[in-house]
Structures are given as structure tokens and as C-alpha cells.
Amino acid sequence: MAPASTAIAEQSVLEWVKNDKRRMLHVVYRVGDLEKTIKFYTECLGMKLLRKRDIPEERYTNAFLGYGPEDSHFVVELTYNYGVDKYDIGNGFGHFGIAVEDVAKTVDLVKAKGGKVTREPGPVKGGNTVIAFIEDPDGYKFELLERGPTPEPLCQLMLRVGDLDRAINFYKKAFGMELLRKRDNPEYKYTIAMMGYGPEDKNAVLELTYNYGVSEYDKGNGYAQIAISTDDVYKTAEAIKLCGGKITLEPGPLPGINTKITACLDPDGWKSVFVDNIDFLKELE
């Protein structure tokens, strides 16, 4: 193609991204004891076990948990690999955020069930929101945020990045996310950016954190990826390539279940999977 028409084609793909029907579907990570984690999430965090599937030929089991049905809520997908009881979380993954109506009450419950509280309830540094931090049995951190009733209690996923502007630009252009807000905290030497597909009080958001002077992180082998819905995995992959992302799985149907997906890495090496909207709903049926 001539350069001018190539530029027009590229522009139209990036325009399409903005109008694509996308939302964060689930976040995938690995745990060492599935039953123990399910018990902790249901009893301490009030999640529901939505479904479970065992794939013996691949030697793993998945469990999906959340605060509402998967066709309308952001949920967690836990992966248990047979015989693996411990993972390295690394220092790149930050935490999951959960909105609760009473942080102190939730913390008391976590303590009563033998859970680990790493920050007692109190106002966030430089703000008024009451928060606390807890850890699940594998050491994944959860930030509890005191908020009124919300349709999406599983409200945040925090990842650390080495270049915030580069990450914001990538998630805006390639993923079609909006920059909802950005906050610099010079006294604590970090900046955060909230990215997502709708307002924070009603949708799950991606919280990107940049720590001054830190350009690389150890990702460990525990956290895996987020899954996002799309109307077209082929166009999605094209847009990701145009924005400097790396495709790790070319778009197409998955063997065995025929759900069309594509997988990619962002400029920091964080993985995401895009799933065809119609195929995803068929899979839930």
C-alpha cells in the first residue's frame, strides 16, 4: 500500500478501537491451594464461587469467583497447577482493589479467619478514603476501599510500570481505555494513573503505578493476565501491533472450544488476552 493509504488504514483501525465493545472480564493468577483460596475469598471477602473446571489432561483446575455473573462482572480466575503449591509473586504486581461498605468490619472478619492484615484501617496517605491492606493465603495483596454500594466491588487491579506516559498512551490507543485520573505523590515518590472503560464507581479499573526512578520489575510467576472482551480479535491484534505491543498468540479460535482470542504483551511485558464477545457468552452457556 502507498504510505498515505497505509496511514489512513492505521487511523481507521485505531478509530475502531475507540468504538469497540470492551470491558474487563477477568484477571488470571496462580494459587497453590485452590480450596483454601476459595474458602478465604468466599468467607472473608464475600465472593461467590461462580464455576470450576478441571482439565486433567493439562493437569490444572480453574475456579472463577466474583460478586456477580461473569457476563456483567469483573471476576477472578484462579489457576491451580497439579502439584505446584507455591509461586513467586515478584514485585511488579501490586494488588487487587475491593470496595466494601465497612473496612474495619471486613478486617475483623479476615483476622477472625486467620488472615493476614498488612495495613490496619485508616485514611489513605494524602486523602480521606478509609483503606486497609490484607493478604490472601498465597500472599496476593488486596486493598479494601470504603465505598457505598457499587455494582462492581472487585474494582481495581494495580500493576507497576517503568514509564507511565508510555503505558497510558498504549492502553489508550491499543486497548481503547480512558485515562480516568492521574495523581502524582512527590512526597512518596510515585505517580498513579487510573485507566478503564467507564467511571471508577461502576467499573473495574487498571491502576498503573510508576515509582520514581524504577524502570523494571520482577514479574514472578504467580500473576498471569487480564482478559478483555472485543467484537473482533483480528482488528484488536492489528491495533496492538500498530501501538508497539507484542502479539504472543495470533488471533483465532482456541483448539477444542472454538472461542476466538488473541494475546499480547504491553510495553512493560504485562500480558492481556482479548476474547470475542459472542464466543465468550457461548462459553458461559
Side-chain angles (χ1 to χ4, degrees), residues 172-183:
K172 264 174 135 170
K173 280 179 128 174
F175 281 44
M177 288 185 177
E178 289 171 69
L179 172 61
L180 301 165
R181 65 185 168 102
K182 191 175 168 184
R183 191 178 80 221

Side-chain angles (χ1 to χ4, degrees), residues 45-177:
L45 300 176
M47 290 189 193
K48 295 181 187 76
L49 175 61
L50 302 166
R51 63 181 167 125
K52 207 169 155 184
R53 63 175 180 209
D54 186 34
I55 318 285
E57 59 276 18
E58 302 279 340
R59 298 182 55 76
Y60 75 88
T61 309
N62 285 136
F64 293 80
L65 295 100
Y67 294 99
E70 283 178 73
D71 59 5
S72 56
H73 287 71
F74 184 50
V75 307
V76 299
E77 177 182 338
L78 305 175
T79 300
Y80 168 70
N81 291 302
Y82 293 10
V84 185
D85 63 2
K86 200 169 171 30
Y87 290 95
D88 168 24
I89 295 172
N91 62 2
F93 167 81
H95 60 259
F96 302 108
I98 294 189
V100 298
E101 288 182 43
D102 188 335
V103 167
K105 200 168 143 188
T106 307
V107 164
D108 286 346
L109 181 61
V110 169
K111 285 178 178 171
K113 300 278 182 187
K116 189 176 171 188
V117 176
T118 56
R119 182 202 190 274
E120 291 290 337
V124 67
K125 287 174 188 171
N128 303 320
T129 308
V130 174
I131 66 160
F133 274 92
I134 62 165
E135 278 182 15
D136 79 358
D138 286 273
Y140 290 102
K141 288 188 171 64
F142 283 79
E143 180 180 13
L144 304 174
L145 301 113
E146 197 154 278
R147 285 185 186 172
T150 169
E152 191 57 279
L154 181 59
C155 58
Q156 283 174 7
L157 163 64
M158 191 275 257
L159 299 173
R160 299 183 178 95
V161 296
D163 179 332
L164 191 60
D165 289 332
R166 177 184 70 180
I168 289 170
N169 202 22
F170 178 79
Y171 280 98
K172 264 174 135 170
K173 280 179 128 174
F175 281 44
M177 288 185 177

Side-chain angles (χ1 to χ4, degrees), residues 28-47:
V28 186
Y29 51 106
R30 303 170 185 98
V31 298
D33 182 333
L34 195 58
E35 294 314 315
K36 195 173 170 182
T37 306
I38 290 171
K39 193 172 159 60
F40 183 81
Y41 288 7
T42 52
E43 292 183 3
C44 296
L45 300 176
M47 290 189 193

